[in-house]
Amino acid sequence: MKRFVLGIALLVVPAVACADPVDQSKGKFEDKFRQLEGEAWPTPTDYRNAAGEPGYRYWQQKVDYRIRASLDEAGRSLTGSETITYANNSPDSLRYLWLALDHNNYKRNSAAELTRTTAGKDLSVGGIRRAKRMQTWEGGFNDLRVTDANGAPLPFTVVDSLLRVDLPQPLKSGEALDFSISWSLPIPETKVVGGRSGYECFTKPGEDGNCIFLGAQWFPRLAVYSDYEGWHNKAFLGAGEFTLEFGDYDVELTVPADHVVSATGALQNPQAVLTATQQDRFTQAKTAAQPVYIVTPQEAAAAEGGKPAGTKTWHFSATNVRDFAFASSRKFIWDAQGVKNADPAQPVVMAMSFYPKEARPLWDAYSTKSIAHTLKVYGQFAFPYPYPTAQSVNGPVGGMEYPMITFNGPRPIKDKKTGELTYTERAKYGLIGVVIHEVGHIWFPMTVNSDEKQWTWMDEGINSFIQFEAQRQWDEKFPRGRGEPREIREYMLSENQVPIMTNSESIMQFGNNAYGKPATALVILRETILGRETFDFAFKEYSRRWAFKRPTPYDFFRTMEEASGTDLDWFWRGWFYSTDHVDLELADIKKARINTRDPEVEKPWEKLQDDEKPESLTSVRNTDPTVVETDPATRDFYDTTDDFTPTVKAKKKYADAMKDADPELKEALAVKDSFYNFTFRNKGGLVMPVILKLDFTDGTSDTVRIPAEIWRMNPAEAIWQYVTPKTLKQAEIDPLWETADTDIANNAFPRRIDPVTLNITDDEEGANRMKDMEMVVTPDGVKTQPQAKKAEEKK
């Protein structure tokens, strides 16, 4: 049986199954699809398995706190004592315990303070204020005393921002230990020395003179002891935040009697600190359609102008949280609204906001409603909110999260002359966005307890991803932010980058690296690579598996692959382990057709191709008639035919060949479709799917989503084929700008001419120091001062 090869270039793809991995790495080949398992990822264990789940022997410690603390408003300080119950659920015996003293980074000899760097050129007013304040004020924990359950002193050692308690005997696996610590703590003025807590006082002319106090990282907290790192005892340097153990809290805060307190947990003694009317309002707020004032603006104003007398103690309780924070001020207006929740254990969550009059009317309008929106969206993406309250507090901290409470900064602007209040569109969206972001952190990492100090992206990046989705659900015109692929392109091309998988304290371009890039990566993973349904299933599975547990990046990576059924090693490698960028080019398109071998078809087609070639320039310029045109006697058979005239022999040869041809060959030769070969080039190094939009001459379009595996044999160039009966007009890759492609100019073929507006700039004289000094020049070159000249003329 005869076999014929079709007259078309065939793309030959080598077999993969038998390929030698050693041979693949020879030459310039780089395997972008090399597996991370066994290379960059730790070996699975009984504690965390290969599927990304907590293993059957997973464990974590439990730490309970009973805290009693007092706020000294005049002295700007806290004093406190705590009784800690530490349960050793690890398989190890512990001879000592490590605790975090984060406020010790305010000590002048701390690693954080001594390693602060400066640009070395200009100083800001804020920088000068901070430098002078640190000469006269020093923060950090003082008067530390550690005792056992019987009140006997326990030896301890302070190492920078950490405290080691030496145990009289090892704490064995399965045992628990009670011990106590007392301390005092100066409160920092946040807007002067910075930080995640502190105070702000309204003491400028015309202000009421009162203060807002934010208490965060304010008590000695047990450091983590984990299966993958042991003691997490890296010093707190400011950028890497913290990870802690879950436990139950019982906290009593004694504050001036006219203060209102917001805190982690649920208020246990409302009858002791709220009026009967305020208690009734709180009850009404649980089922209200709109936020209800618990403490009204009028009541807050009365407290601002009153004289405080005595103290009150606010009692809060929180179960299964990893930290405790609070805010206290007589300036606080307090509004609340109950939000229905899908968790049967918490069917109603109290969304609450605390803010001074200076935050109105922006906060009245948006803060609590933003909390409610966050509860809905994050509940859909991850799991229902697990706690009874979600709070937003306005104060000097621009944005920070703790269990059930967040600190957020935006306020309206007060005109210095007229006193009129306005707020910018940026402030409006800024408030909504920061509330969504910080309340979202109560899921990540306050519940899904990743290690912020080690891998910032696991809380900031994941949270920024869902924040992006929540903002677009708030308003489709919400300003694009972190998560939008087109917004990350400039960073992806920038210098001084490090991979996302870099320790928090060593990250350059912190916001882009830890927030923007991972958020964008997850948006692309959801929208472009996996699709929403598959991504959402896998992400929910990760959230469910690791709620109230301690995931590592490898648990996230493995879960997303295992639950989505997709090998994503290439994606993690490119986006999280490298600084490559996306730049895919549509370099060339070639149109091919099947050679039918029928001379009566092929010869006319060849003639059409020849006719499209330009005429010889000489022939174009020779306008006089030729000999053949003027003398009929010179014409013969060759003048009436050409190379494109089918011959009898060719026709007979074709007819004979078709008699014995396979049916499959006949069918193939009859195909009239065009075969388009597209040449794609990867110029940025980061392999990605190729989204190819095809526009045809009949007005129709088609978009083909080619998986990233197109690059597996050659990460630099790939040739791909598309077969259609239609005629292609133009093509473009990434038409919706969804892959963070850094150079869209090379995405279209044929290339587009992009319109550009040229601005005319006026000629400027440039710097004229002589003119600035009010000097003039006479024609003879003599320099005089105008004032002196005028005085001379008067004489």
Side-chain angles (χ1 to χ4, degrees):
M1 184 178 291
K2 296 180 179 178
R3 295 287 181 184
F4 294 89
V5 178
L6 299 182
I8 183 171
L10 297 178
L11 298 177
V12 180
V13 180
V16 179
C18 298
D20 183 347
V22 176
D23 291 339
Q24 282 189 354
S25 296
K26 289 180 179 178
K28 297 180 180 181
F29 177 77
E30 180 184 359
D31 185 3
K32 300 282 189 176
F33 294 82
R34 190 171 70 255
Q35 296 296 288
L36 289 161
E37 207 58 91
E39 178 182 308
W41 292 354
T43 303
T45 67
D46 295 342
Y47 307 129
R48 42 193 80 233
N49 67 29
E53 288 186 290
Y56 75 97
R57 294 179 62 202
Y58 177 83
W59 58 266
Q60 63 188 33
Q61 311 292 55
K62 185 174 187 293
V63 188
D64 298 333
Y65 297 83
R66 188 173 183 272
I67 305 174
R68 304 293 178 260
S70 297
L71 170 64
D72 179 355
E73 183 173 24
R76 311 285 192 259
S77 65
L78 285 167
T79 56
S81 64
E82 62 186 359
T83 297
I84 300 172
T85 300
Y86 186 87
N88 181 14
N89 298 323
S90 79
D92 309 317
S93 292
L94 304 177
R95 295 178 54 249
Y96 48 80
L97 306 178
W98 282 102
L99 290 89
L101 304 176
D102 288 354
H103 270 256
N104 275 14
N105 72 329
Y106 289 114
K107 288 189 177 294
R108 297 190 192 103
N109 65 347
S110 70
E113 195 63 27
L114 290 174
T115 58
R116 291 177 68 89
T117 58
T118 178
K121 295 181 180 180
D122 300 323
L123 274 176
S124 66
V125 172
I128 296 171
R129 290 183 71 202
R130 189 186 192 282
K132 294 301 295 180
R133 178 64 60 86
M134 293 304 293
Q135 289 180 333
T136 59
W137 177 87
E138 185 175 29
F141 288 88
N142 299 315
D143 307 315
L144 285 162
R145 185 170 182 267
V146 184
T147 58
D148 65 17
N150 298 317
L154 286 175
F156 67 90
T157 302
V158 175
V159 181
D160 199 65
S161 62
L162 294 155
L163 181 151
R164 190 189 73 239
V165 177
D166 298 322
L167 304 181
Q169 57 188 22
L171 183 64
K172 296 179 181 178
S173 175
E175 293 183 342
L177 172 71
D178 290 338
F179 67 103
S180 298
I181 304 178
S182 60
W183 73 93
S184 65
L185 183 72
I187 302 174
E189 186 174 4
T190 311
K191 290 191 173 181
V192 176
V193 299
R196 292 172 167 83
S197 64
Y199 70 88
E200 173 188 17
C201 294
F202 295 76
T203 54
K204 294 179 180 178
E207 295 182 335
D208 56 69
N210 293 293
C211 305
I212 294 173
F213 295 89
L214 304 179
Q217 297 159 246
W218 56 279
F219 59 95
R221 300 126 82 218
L222 257 297
V224 166
Y225 186 77
S226 74
D227 63 277
Y228 62 86
E229 190 173 331
W231 283 110
H232 293 221
N233 52 3
K234 181 177 173 62
F236 179 58
L237 299 179
E241 293 177 4
F242 55 86
T243 185
L244 299 168
E245 306 285 10
F246 285 103
D248 301 333
Y249 284 74
D250 185 276
V251 181
E252 293 183 5
L253 299 168
T254 300
V255 300
D258 56 353
H259 273 215
V260 171
V261 178
S262 165
T264 296
L267 180 63
Q268 300 299 298
N269 62 337
Q271 69 286 347
V273 294
L274 301 179
T275 67
T277 301
Q278 290 168 342
Q279 294 177 61
D280 289 342
R281 293 172 186 156
F282 189 86
T283 301
Q284 295 167 13
K286 292 180 180 179
T287 57
Q290 296 289 329
V292 172
Y293 287 119
I294 311 302
V295 175
T296 67
Q298 294 75 21
E299 289 168 338
E304 286 179 334
K307 294 182 179 180
T311 62
K312 284 184 180 179
T313 298
W314 293 62
H315 183 193
F316 294 90
S317 176
T319 301
N320 206 18
V321 295
R322 68 170 218 172
D323 201 2
F324 188 100
F326 73 91
S328 182
S329 179
R330 65 178 54 86
K331 292 178 65 64
F332 280 152
I333 300 160
W334 173 7
D335 71 44
Q337 180 183 4
V339 179
K340 291 182 180 180
N341 192 41
D343 185 352
Q346 303 291 347
V348 175
V349 177
M350 293 304 293
M352 305 191 293
S353 297
F354 299 77
Y355 46 93
K357 63 179 182 296
E358 289 80 5
R360 302 184 69 209
L362 191 60
W363 275 63
D364 307 65
Y366 296 114
S367 178
T368 297
K369 290 184 177 182
S370 298
I371 298 173
H373 178 65
T374 307
L375 297 177
K376 173 188 173 185
V377 176
Y378 278 70
Q380 293 170 344
F381 267 88
F383 46 77
Y385 188 78
Y387 297 119
T389 65
Q391 302 162 67
S392 171
V393 179
N394 180 244
V397 176
M400 190 59 200
E401 78 285 350
Y402 299 92
M404 295 185 244
I405 183 173
T406 64
F407 303 153
N408 304 302
R411 290 177 186 153
I413 301 168
K414 189 173 184 178
D415 188 274
K416 293 180 179 179
K417 294 182 179 180
T418 65
E420 294 177 347
L421 287 176
T422 58
Y423 57 81
T424 62
E425 186 177 28
R426 180 178 180 180
K428 169 190 171 180
Y429 286 118
L431 174 60
I432 297 166
V434 74
V435 171
I436 291 172
H437 183 87
E438 304 306 339
V439 173
H441 271 312
I442 301 176
W443 277 267
F444 306 94
M446 294 298 147
T447 305
V448 179
N449 188 15
S450 59
D451 186 349
E452 301 169 88
K453 188 170 288 189
Q454 184 67 265
W455 302 292
T456 301
W457 72 266
M458 287 196 75
D459 68 291
E460 299 296 359
I462 289 176
N463 186 43
S464 294
F465 155 67
I466 311 181
Q467 175 193 354
F468 175 76
E469 300 288 350
Q471 288 174 173
R472 301 316 291 260
Q473 290 187 38
W474 177 281
D475 182 353
E476 64 179 13
K477 296 179 181 178
F478 205 102
R480 290 194 302 265
R482 289 166 173 160
E484 178 63 50
R486 69 189 69 185
E487 299 296 332
I488 200 69
R489 295 181 303 189
E490 183 178 349
Y491 168 69
M492 298 284 276
L493 288 172
S494 66
E495 297 294 325
N496 299 320
Q497 282 190 60
V498 292
I500 291 174
M501 287 291 287
T502 298
N503 180 273
S504 296
E505 301 295 350
S506 302
I507 292 174
M508 294 179 282
Q509 302 192 63
F510 196 87
N512 284 320
N513 177 286
Y515 293 69
K517 186 177 178 181
T520 303
L522 294 179
V523 168
I524 292 172
L525 187 61
R526 181 179 191 242
E527 301 286 1
T528 300
I529 295 168
L530 293 179
R532 289 189 170 192
E533 183 178 354
T534 300
F535 177 94
D536 291 353
F537 176 84
F539 189 82
K540 272 180 176 285
E541 182 66 9
Y542 165 73
S543 304
R544 181 196 64 79
R545 287 178 178 184
W546 291 98
F548 300 102
K549 294 182 178 67
R550 190 184 312 286
T552 67
Y554 322 109
D555 300 314
F556 176 75
F557 297 150
R558 285 168 169 150
T559 295
M560 292 300 293
E561 291 196 6
E562 193 267 349
S564 71
T566 308
D567 178 10
L568 295 169
D569 287 47
W570 63 271
F571 182 79
W572 311 129
R573 184 182 297 280
W575 279 92
F576 289 79
Y577 285 87
S578 83
T579 55
D580 291 344
H581 61 275
V582 182
D583 182 7
L584 304 185
E585 178 188 20
L586 177 50
D588 185 43
I589 303 176
K590 284 190 167 48
K591 179 182 178 180
R593 56 181 289 279
I594 299 295
N595 184 343
T596 67
R597 303 189 181 179
D598 183 348
E600 294 191 272
V601 173
E602 296 306 314
K603 288 299 182 180
W605 186 83
E606 290 175 12
K607 188 175 189 311
L608 284 174
Q609 309 314 303
D610 189 71
D611 289 344
E612 290 183 359
K613 298 175 183 177
E615 256 192 283
S616 162
L617 180 61
T618 300
S619 296
V620 170
R621 290 178 174 174
N622 288 347
T623 59
D624 293 336
T626 64
V627 172
V628 171
E629 291 173 330
T630 59
D631 184 0
T634 62
R635 303 174 200 164
D636 64 3
F637 167 79
Y638 292 103
D639 293 299
T640 60
T641 61
D642 55 26
D643 288 342
F644 305 112
T645 303
T647 66
V648 174
K649 181 180 179 180
K651 293 178 185 179
K652 186 175 183 304
K653 182 179 179 181
Y654 171 74
D656 291 342
M658 288 301 99
K659 289 178 183 178
D660 298 328
D662 291 335
E664 292 90 346
L665 177 60
K666 290 182 179 180
E667 184 178 351
L669 291 173
V671 172
K672 292 182 173 55
D673 290 5
S674 294
F675 289 70
Y676 290 95
N677 286 355
F678 297 83
T679 299
F680 305 124
R681 293 197 181 122
N682 180 3
K683 302 178 73 174
L686 206 164
V687 297
M688 286 289 284
V690 180
I691 298 96
L692 178 65
K693 183 175 183 288
L694 306 168
D695 295 325
F696 302 101
T697 54
D698 64 0
T700 62
S701 296
D702 186 21
T703 298
V704 185
R705 293 180 171 270
I706 308 167
E709 282 77 7
I710 190 175
W711 304 104
R712 68 192 185 279
M713 295 300 169
N714 185 346
E717 182 176 286
I719 300 175
W720 182 82
Q721 192 171 85
Y722 183 87
V723 182
T724 178
K726 300 179 182 181
T727 300
L728 185 65
K729 178 181 178 182
Q730 64 180 22
E732 180 181 9
I733 57 177
D734 197 12
L736 300 180
W737 297 1
E738 60 185 279
T739 67
D741 196 314
T742 57
D743 184 4
I744 59 173
N746 61 18
N747 287 7
F749 196 93
R751 295 286 186 259
R752 292 198 184 102
I753 299 176
D754 294 327
V756 175
T757 299
L758 301 177
N759 297 316
I760 297 176
T761 56
D762 297 331
D763 293 333
E764 297 181 359
E765 295 179 355
N768 189 333
R769 199 154 52 87
M770 184 182 296
K771 182 177 180 181
D772 294 342
M773 292 292 290
E774 298 185 352
M775 300 290 289
V776 296
V777 181
T778 61
D780 59 6
V782 179
K783 303 180 182 67
T784 62
Q785 286 185 310
Q787 298 299 327
K789 185 178 181 181
K790 290 178 181 178
E792 214 36 59
E793 289 173 351
K794 286 183 179 179
K795 289 181 181 180

